[in-house]
Amino acid sequence: MTWVSVPDRQPGYLAGKQKSETTLSKGDRMATLLEHTTDVAVRVTGQTLTGVFASGLEAMNQILAPQCCLSPKQADCCMDVALKAPDPTALLVDFLSECLALTYIHKTLFCFVHFDQLEPTRLQARLYGHRFGCLENEIKAVTFHTADLRQNREGVWETPLLFDL
Amino acid sequence: MKKITKEAIVQRNPYLWEIPVGFRPDMQVPARIIASETLLDDILDDRSLQQLVNVTTLPGIRKAAFVMPDVHEGYGFPIGGVAATSYPHGAISPGGIGYDINCGVRMLVSDLNEGETRRYLPELIRVLNEHIPSGMGTPGHLLLNDQELDQVLATGAEWAVGQGYGSPRDLVYTESNGRLPAADPSRVSERARQRGRDQLGTIGSGNHFVEVGYVDEILNPLIAHGFGLREGQVTVLIHTGSRGLGHQIATDYIRILMEAMPAYGIELPDRELACVPLDSPEGQAYFGAMCAGANFAWCNRQLVCWEVRQAWSAVFGKAAGLPELLYDVAHNIAKIETHTVAGKTEQLIVHRKGATRAFGPGHPEIPDAYRAFGQPVLIPGSMGTSSYVLAGTASSSALSFGSCCHGAGRRLSRTAAKKQVNAPVLKEELQEAGIYLEAPFRRIAEEAPMAYKDVNQVVRSVQEAGIAVPVARLKPLAVIKG
């Protein structure tokens, strides 16, 4: 799992930047950076509901602490999460918001998630994480802006997500 | 979302533009843009104006929804948006305030001159960096217990001053004296408390900073004298907000309000605009929590101010005197204010998201010493460019609910900036120009001057629109970013 690099085309004093990160992919899921002036927007996709939720968590962790979850470590702790929401979009945003709050409170990055139950409006999951010293970016919140989790014509679950930085 | 082109916009004067009611059937009031034509062309590049049109659909909105010339795309409201709804039945919307409740700017002025300070800059930036926790995950020097946190939420900057982290004078020169009395700590969730408990006195990351600079040029000698500004004077700008506590309050209540909206028959084009009537139980709960978050932010900036003064003393010695507060302004907040709409005086719920209050001369909420000149408005540029001190005008109340711009305004995404900027080279170039930077390279790239609009054009727009008067231009000497 890694962000795919794309070449830089900038001249002059802006030169020397060889790559940037645009796409994060793993197995049946993917997160792609979208253009947004202020914050960080991504499109997350997954063949299954589990895949798209995991993709959202991976994308969020990659923004918080790039590469930190890419080399697996022994989990320091695990936490259970149980949520209900009126629709799949709200459930995803609530799930990521919950993970984000737990990340800050426990100073723990939750790189792994196991869903005991995941339905469009409810979930039970166990988060596994390891403590961090300092994060690279502060995400203030996971927003509902443009979020709309649904299956496309190919049956793939997808939605844009905007993280407020 | 319907793309907005220039053809849909009516020019009312060279610095005021309008998207009329009828552009979209759900608009309740016009959408107005305060900007030069050049800046308007930039604004059309992102989705700021679609978001502004969404704001015009808020229940109870009065007169018009506005954006300032530093506007850029956000979520819910655009950043740089202002909207007022009727009090008390009109909408209160967390998306019109932002997740960083009472993010704002505090400016200090010292007795020192630029020339005599330059040789101390490397030492000053090192010591400031030691004293001010920055970056994400770095806790502050205080860990509040439940009782202390309740006091902070209820009394804001007063708590810090009471504990010896400032002087009563600091409160006089802080918007709302650093305390919103409507704060209700009982409306702040345990989760929000957990996030904020160790964060007082921290600046966080992103575009937050502490910047040492100097007055490069006095633009209005009379008002500058009134504000105690003189050419060459060394200044400090502090930009931070309510940290994780405020972020969690907004997260909690957007969710609560979203679920409550159907009961009030409210439907909106963006869930991030979630709102309820202010006088509803949910509206009252959010307003109480939001005011508590605002108080936390004022206390936070007071603590950072104390840390700056500690560093100042360590570098320049006690004889140098401590930098004094010029003013502290919020730029993400909702307040109950009185304005004139269609010739009639009304109480309104004024939402400012990335916009600064800019009351004109004579307003009772302006400190006595400044009342004849208008409220100080602090406009940070990007690191490496100018910042400005402005003064509010009487016409800002008439035109834009007493509001003005809040900064330069982003024009490039963080990703685009990181692609384009060579941070080590930029840092070196800035240092050659006499500006010391303490920040990770990734942050230097994201926050590079080219990522922002030209602050001079932004200030020119608000000046020409008549909503603020330029008082002084500042230049940076040293910047700490999280």
Side-chain angles (χ1 to χ4, degrees):
Chain A
M1 180 176 64
T2 182
W3 293 104
V4 174
S5 299
V6 294
D8 174 69
R9 297 183 295 277
Q10 298 301 326
Y13 82 93
L14 304 173
K17 294 288 290 176
Q18 296 303 312
K19 60 185 179 182
S20 65
E21 301 102 355
T22 56
T23 303
L24 185 69
S25 63
K26 184 180 187 182
D28 63 346
R29 56 190 186 259
M30 189 161 72
T32 307
L33 282 174
L34 305 173
E35 199 58 30
H36 190 278
T37 313
T38 319
D39 301 304
V40 175
V42 296
R43 175 174 296 282
V44 291
T45 61
Q47 295 294 332
T48 61
L49 208 50
T50 303
V52 76
F53 272 61
S55 179
L57 181 61
E58 286 159 5
M60 187 167 79
N61 286 334
Q62 182 72 356
I63 297 164
L64 289 167
Q67 316 303 321
C68 203
C69 285
L70 301 185
S71 42
K73 296 176 186 170
Q74 184 78 27
D76 297 327
C77 68
C78 63
M79 295 203 163
D80 293 328
V81 175
L83 296 168
K84 285 182 189 170
D87 56 66
T89 305
L91 188 68
L92 175 59
V93 174
D94 286 355
F95 169 67
L96 295 177
S97 298
E98 183 73 2
C99 294
L100 186 66
L102 293 171
T103 293
Y104 291 140
I105 291 165
H106 299 286
K107 302 197 177 353
T108 297
L109 203 60
F110 295 98
C111 294
F112 304 101
V113 56
H114 174 76
F115 292 97
D116 294 320
Q117 179 194 32
L118 179 52
E119 295 169 12
T121 59
R122 66 173 62 205
L123 67 78
Q124 277 198 324
R126 177 159 285 194
L127 301 168
Y128 297 88
H130 58 266
R131 290 178 69 82
F132 59 80
C134 194
L135 295 173
E136 189 161 304
N137 290 299
E138 177 173 30
I139 295 176
K140 290 175 187 153
V142 187
T143 79
F144 282 90
H145 182 62
T146 70
D148 185 16
L149 179 59
R150 60 177 67 209
Q151 281 181 292
N152 64 22
R153 272 178 290 188
E154 288 75 42
V156 175
W157 288 91
E158 63 175 4
T159 182
L161 283 172
L162 181 71
F163 298 96
D164 181 9
L165 260 63
Chain B
M1 215 184 284
K2 189 174 173 181
K3 172 77 180 163
I4 295 174
T5 61
K6 213 166 172 181
E7 289 67 41
I9 301 173
V10 178
Q11 183 172 17
R12 290 173 61 111
N13 70 43
Y15 292 89
L16 182 62
W17 310 77
E18 180 173 302
I19 303 169
V21 173
F23 169 76
R24 230 174 58 188
D26 53 350
M27 289 174 73
Q28 305 292 314
V29 294
R32 291 186 182 148
I33 306 131
I34 295 169
S36 65
E37 187 162 13
T38 309
L39 286 174
L40 176 68
D41 290 337
D42 282 347
I43 292 166
L44 285 162
D45 283 345
D46 70 15
R47 283 162 288 199
S48 308
L49 298 186
Q50 288 97 312
Q51 294 179 344
L52 178 65
V53 170
N54 289 343
V55 174
T56 68
T57 69
L58 283 177
I61 189 165
R62 302 291 288 136
K63 189 161 85 172
F66 290 89
V67 286
M68 299 295 146
D70 54 333
V71 64
H72 51 100
E73 182 181 357
Y75 47 83
F77 275 49
I79 314 297
V82 178
T85 55
S86 55
Y87 175 85
H89 307 307
I92 179 89
S93 171
I97 294 152
Y99 285 90
D100 197 359
I101 295 165
N102 189 5
C103 186
V105 182
R106 171 173 289 225
M107 179 172 166
L108 311 176
V109 290
S110 78
D111 292 336
L112 299 175
N113 289 317
E114 173 232 345
E116 62 188 327
T117 306
R118 278 199 181 274
R119 66 192 172 98
Y120 293 99
L121 287 179
E123 172 72 354
L124 180 61
I125 198 164
R126 184 185 66 75
V127 178
L128 281 170
N129 204 39
E130 277 174 12
H131 280 73
I132 305 167
S134 64
M136 193 50 224
T138 311
H141 303 301
L142 297 177
L143 181 62
L144 304 178
N145 62 35
D146 288 339
Q147 194 184 3
E148 289 167 331
L149 187 51
D150 271 343
Q151 288 168 355
V152 169
L153 296 173
T155 65
E158 273 182 34
W159 180 86
V161 169
Q163 299 293 312
Y165 299 111
S167 69
R169 185 192 177 281
D170 292 339
L171 301 177
V172 173
Y173 292 94
T174 301
E175 180 178 328
S176 298
N177 303 123
R179 174 187 187 177
L180 294 180
D184 183 351
S186 73
R187 300 299 190 175
V188 177
S189 70
E190 182 54 32
R191 182 65 39 102
R193 289 161 179 269
Q194 287 175 308
R195 283 182 68 174
R197 198 177 292 283
D198 66 351
Q199 290 190 321
L200 274 186
T202 65
I203 59 172
S205 67
N207 62 356
H208 292 170
F209 61 80
V210 172
E211 177 178 303
V212 179
Y214 67 98
V215 179
D216 178 48
E217 188 177 358
I218 296 292
L219 305 168
N220 184 312
L222 178 69
I223 304 180
H225 184 260
F227 287 174
L229 290 169
R230 57 178 170 75
E231 248 174 44
Q233 183 178 27
V234 172
T235 60
V236 182
L237 290 172
I238 297 165
H239 178 209
T240 186
S242 50
R243 312 289 293 107
L245 180 132
H247 309 165
Q248 189 66 40
I249 289 173
T251 298
D252 293 341
Y253 279 94
I254 285 172
R255 195 69 182 76
I256 292 167
L257 269 50
M258 256 170 45
E259 293 210 4
M261 281 201 309
Y264 301 101
I266 299 171
E267 283 183 35
L268 292 165
D270 181 349
R271 288 206 211 196
E272 283 292 322
L273 285 176
C275 65
V276 290
L278 176 66
D279 57 355
S280 66
E282 297 87 354
Q284 286 295 292
Y286 170 66
F287 193 65
M290 187 276 295
C291 291
N295 287 348
F296 187 88
W298 271 312
C299 189
N300 185 36
R301 288 200 287 278
Q302 184 64 47
L303 262 295
V304 175
C305 172
W306 177 78
E307 290 160 354
V308 167
R309 287 168 172 163
Q310 294 291 106
W312 209 264
S313 225
V315 173
F316 298 111
K318 290 197 168 33
L322 295 175
E324 289 287 0
L325 181 54
L326 184 133
Y327 204 58
D328 179 306
V329 283
H331 54 227
N332 280 7
I333 203 160
K335 297 177 103 174
I336 313 303
E337 296 174 359
T338 303
H339 294 279
T340 303
V341 179
K344 198 177 145 200
T345 301
E346 290 184 26
Q347 272 199 300
L348 298 166
I349 310 156
V350 182
H351 297 70
R352 297 188 180 95
K353 182 181 184 183
T356 309
R357 195 183 76 174
F359 286 164
H363 197 286
E365 287 202 34
I366 301 174
D368 291 348
Y370 301 157
R371 194 164 297 148
F373 310 110
Q375 179 212 300
V377 176
L378 310 174
I379 309 298
S382 55
M383 60 188 190
T385 65
S386 301
S387 297
Y388 283 86
V389 180
L390 315 178
T393 64
S395 48
S396 78
S397 181
L399 180 68
S400 56
F401 302 114
S403 310
C404 188
C405 59
H406 84 308
R410 278 200 88 88
R411 54 173 282 273
L412 282 184
S413 70
R414 288 177 165 86
T415 314
K418 278 196 286 193
K419 275 185 202 173
Q420 295 181 29
V421 175
N422 186 321
V425 173
L426 175 61
K427 183 174 180 177
E428 208 173 289
E429 285 178 358
L430 287 172
Q431 194 154 326
E432 281 167 13
I435 301 167
Y436 288 82
L437 265 182
E438 187 63 46
F441 283 133
R442 62 179 185 277
R443 197 72 65 223
I444 292 173
E446 287 175 357
E447 296 296 317
M450 66 172 301
Y452 285 84
K453 299 181 193 187
D454 179 354
V455 69
N456 302 307
Q457 279 195 49
V458 170
V459 168
R460 176 83 189 272
S461 290
V462 295
Q463 178 188 10
E464 295 293 337
I467 57 177
V469 177
V471 177
R473 189 177 61 228
L474 314 178
K475 286 257 171 90
L477 292 168
V479 185
I480 293 174
K481 278 195 174 278

